Amino acid sequence: MRIAMIGTGYVGLVSGVCFSDFGHEVVCIDKNADKIDRLNRGEVPIYEPGLDELMARNTAAGRLSFTTDLAEAMKGAEAVFIAVGTPARRGDGHADLTYVYSAAEELAPLIADYTVVVVKSTVPVGTNAEVGRRIRAVAPEADFDVASNPEFLREGAAIEDFMRPDRVVVGVTNGRAREVMSDVYRPLFLRETPMVWTSLESAEMIKYAANAFLATKITFINEIADLCEKAGADVQQVAKGIGLDGRIGGKFLHAGPGYGGSCFPKDTSALARIGVELASPMRIVETVITVNDARKRRMVEKIREALDDQLAGKRIAVLGVTFKPNTDDMRDAPALTIVPALIGAGAEVRVVDPQGRKEGEALLPGVSWMNDPYAAAEAADAVVIITEWNEFRALDLERLRGIMRGDRLVDLRNIYVPESAREAGFVYTSVGRV
Ligand code: UDX
Ligand code: UDX
């Protein structure tokens, strides 16, 4: 089967590479010629474990290629995926659909034989139908259908999520499109992956509802964590105790500095906007957004309190700035709120992150980038863990403490056992535990 993938961002690239690994012939298209040149040289523009190897293997097998030429890529393609970005629009927080619609209008005149145009970008309810109308307006005779195929990939685990998904959601309007989409995902049938066939509108809604629910779950446990601190309970025991209830489930119950990333912040705010527009307010989601934003700022106070209410003149080593481990993505990372506030209050900040420097350098002016946690901790008053990279999970705490001039360890991801940190000589602060 021949597939064209428009947009080689995070989602487009992972999806294109994985489809080629299914055995399909995939051409990825991007407007950014520099990116395409790099991809053609075998360079992977993002950090995602396993992606480089999978890309190299499928390029070598002749199943995967990259171009800026949409017409060339669409020749013979039975399915054309739109996986361009849908950033939150400045001002109103609504998903910006400019790139989705322009991709649709550009591909419209290139449709030759029957083609399914598949929207993979996260888009508000009604967008898929509008994509169909816009294609029809440009190319009234074109033989095509629109399908909605939201993705549920976690950065850092995207390949596993693509190859072994909990489910695949596809919105279609007729059997002909369904047949093509079945062929696209046939390799997953062998693994008995549940396929959820829906309308376009339900598929669009599933994506937003899933992400909003997960963001709510995290925000819920974060508030419980705050309460645990006041009440003398341990949020990790609470999470375990509630998570073992099958109706609740143990995942996404890690308390921390608040969720970030390319999806949860953008999708929750888009869903809240959809609610306002359709006069069906999403009050829970609105509250989740407010609580999560406030939480990132509140983490600065937590660090200030740990340093006896004094940030000015303090040297702070920050471990981890990406929004989560195993990615170089800095989008809406809690560190982007926390680190500038520390600097603004007069602290000196030294940062270590296994992958974050490339993106982070421009976003975090005024920090010193260090190569390892011990170097960063030299003569520091406090070490603050913001992202739980594996590299930070097994530090020699006594050595770390010995290098510092102070003794404060603020662990915003609860990766250390309080007793061991204290035994190593630290005054230890974590989240939802005393
Ligand atoms: C994706 C999805 O699109 C978004 O809806 C989802 O919620 C999160 O993941 P992402 O892949 O992270 O977004 O977007 P981005 O990194 O911005 O990449 C988009 C790519 O499309 C860029 O390489 C851009 O150059 C390219 N593009 C954009 C085009 O080729 N053509 C366009 O018209 C617009
Ligand atoms: C998410 C969804 O999981 C994925 O299905 C969707 O398609 C895209 O958005 P991603 O943003 O890559 O994926 O990462 P995820 O692992 O979901 O983490 C999002 C944020 O929540 C991170 O900042 C993470 O640190 C935080 N988080 C996650 C918590 O604070 N606690 C948790 O228990 C889980």
Side-chain angles (χ1 to χ4, degrees):
M1 189 171 198
R2 214 176 133 94
I3 292 175
M5 179 69 63
I6 305 177
T8 58
Y10 191 80
V11 171
L13 186 59
V14 170
S15 306
V17 170
C18 289
F19 279 140
S20 71
D21 204 59
F22 282 0
H24 300 314
E25 202 179 306
V26 180
V27 185
C28 296
I29 310 105
D30 204 293
K31 290 214 145 145
N32 182 336
D34 183 50
K35 207 175 204 178
I36 291 298
D37 283 344
R38 291 177 58 190
L39 287 162
N40 274 322
R41 286 200 301 270
E43 286 174 38
V44 183
I46 50 167
Y47 175 76
E48 178 64 37
L51 187 59
D52 42 1
E53 194 210 338
L54 210 59
M55 193 173 112
R57 187 182 345 137
N58 286 288
T59 312
R63 283 190 295 263
L64 177 65
S65 58
F66 304 94
T67 179
T68 51
D69 185 349
L70 181 58
E72 186 57 38
M74 277 186 59
K75 271 193 198 130
E78 291 159 80
V80 181
F81 282 77
I82 299 179
V84 297
T86 53
R89 207 158 56 192
R90 293 222 175 282
D92 62 3
H94 213 312
D96 184 347
L97 300 174
T98 322
Y99 303 118
V100 172
Y101 290 143
S102 68
E105 283 161 2
E106 275 169 46
L107 71 81
L110 304 171
I111 295 173
D113 302 319
Y114 177 67
T115 306
V116 180
V117 178
V118 192
V119 179
K120 216 171 208 349
S121 305
T122 301
V123 292
V125 182
T127 307
N128 276 271
E130 178 63 15
V131 163
R133 282 191 292 274
R134 291 195 182 208
I135 295 174
R136 181 68 63 215
V138 173
E141 306 299 325
D143 189 12
F144 75 99
D145 279 305
V146 174
S148 167
N149 178 211
E151 50 81 20
F152 303 96
L153 309 175
R154 284 165 306 160
E155 295 191 14
I159 292 170
E160 175 69 15
D161 284 352
F162 197 98
M163 298 295 189
R164 299 179 194 283
D166 290 340
R167 80 308 202 184
V168 171
V169 174
V170 189
V172 284
T173 51
N174 59 49
R176 202 177 172 200
R178 177 169 168 161
E179 223 164 90
V180 171
M181 292 306 289
S182 294
D183 287 343
V184 168
Y185 281 104
R186 190 161 310 281
L188 292 184
F189 294 1
L190 299 170
R191 297 188 182 143
E192 299 186 355
T193 304
M195 298 290 293
V196 182
W197 298 100
T198 71
S199 65
L200 297 177
E201 290 74 16
S202 298
E204 293 165 330
M205 189 63 86
I206 286 168
K207 169 71 194 221
Y208 280 110
N211 275 353
F213 189 85
L214 293 170
T216 303
K217 201 172 176 187
I218 296 167
T219 306
F220 179 83
I221 201 69
N222 281 340
E223 277 203 324
I224 293 287
D226 291 349
L227 195 57
C228 284
E229 285 177 20
K230 298 264 162 69
D234 179 331
V235 73
Q236 270 166 269
Q237 291 178 14
V238 174
K240 186 169 185 197
I242 64 174
L244 285 169
D245 184 328
R247 294 168 300 175
I248 296 174
K251 292 182 184 161
F252 277 66
L253 286 179
H254 296 289
Y259 62 77
S262 61
C263 287
F264 288 171
K266 162 173 81 62
D267 294 347
T268 45
S269 87
L271 186 58
R273 288 289 316 169
I274 296 169
V276 170
E277 268 169 25
L278 300 182
S280 183
M282 301 301 298
R283 287 175 301 238
I284 293 173
V285 176
E286 284 169 6
T287 304
V288 164
I289 296 167
T290 313
V291 170
N292 192 64
D293 285 347
R295 182 170 194 81
K296 293 181 185 174
R297 294 191 297 274
R298 162 85 189 103
M299 291 301 117
V300 180
E301 296 318 309
K302 203 176 173 75
I303 297 166
R304 190 196 301 273
E305 282 157 25
L307 279 160
D308 306 322
D309 292 326
Q310 171 79 30
L311 287 171
K314 294 288 163 81
R315 176 179 280 192
I316 299 175
V318 166
L319 310 192
V321 289
T322 51
F323 82 95
K324 61 183 260 184
N326 297 326
T327 178
D328 59 359
D329 201 332
M330 292 288 301
R331 284 181 276 186
D332 280 298
L336 294 178
T337 302
I338 299 170
V339 171
L342 296 177
I343 293 176
E348 179 200 350
V349 178
R350 293 150 67 101
V351 169
V352 196
D353 190 289
Q355 295 292 336
R357 183 167 182 173
K358 189 169 57 118
E359 293 278 315
E361 226 158 19
L363 299 169
L364 296 173
V367 309
S368 313
W369 291 87
M370 311 299 290
N371 288 327
D372 93 350
Y374 301 104
E378 216 171 84
D381 297 287
V383 168
V384 177
I385 300 167
I386 302 185
T387 313
E388 71 280 30
W389 283 90
N390 274 341
E391 284 86 338
F392 306 145
R393 285 180 184 273
L395 296 174
D396 179 342
L397 289 184
E398 274 170 35
R399 182 178 159 207
L400 191 72
R401 168 72 191 86
I403 288 167
M404 296 167 60
R405 71 176 171 217
D407 59 2
R408 308 299 148 98
L409 177 57
V410 183
D411 177 2
L412 299 182
R413 298 287 184 171
N414 292 353
I415 59 180
Y416 284 98
V417 178
E419 293 74 40
S420 346
R422 286 176 189 133
E423 270 163 31
F426 279 105
V427 176
Y428 178 78
T429 313
S430 57
V431 175
R433 307 185 295 182
V434 281

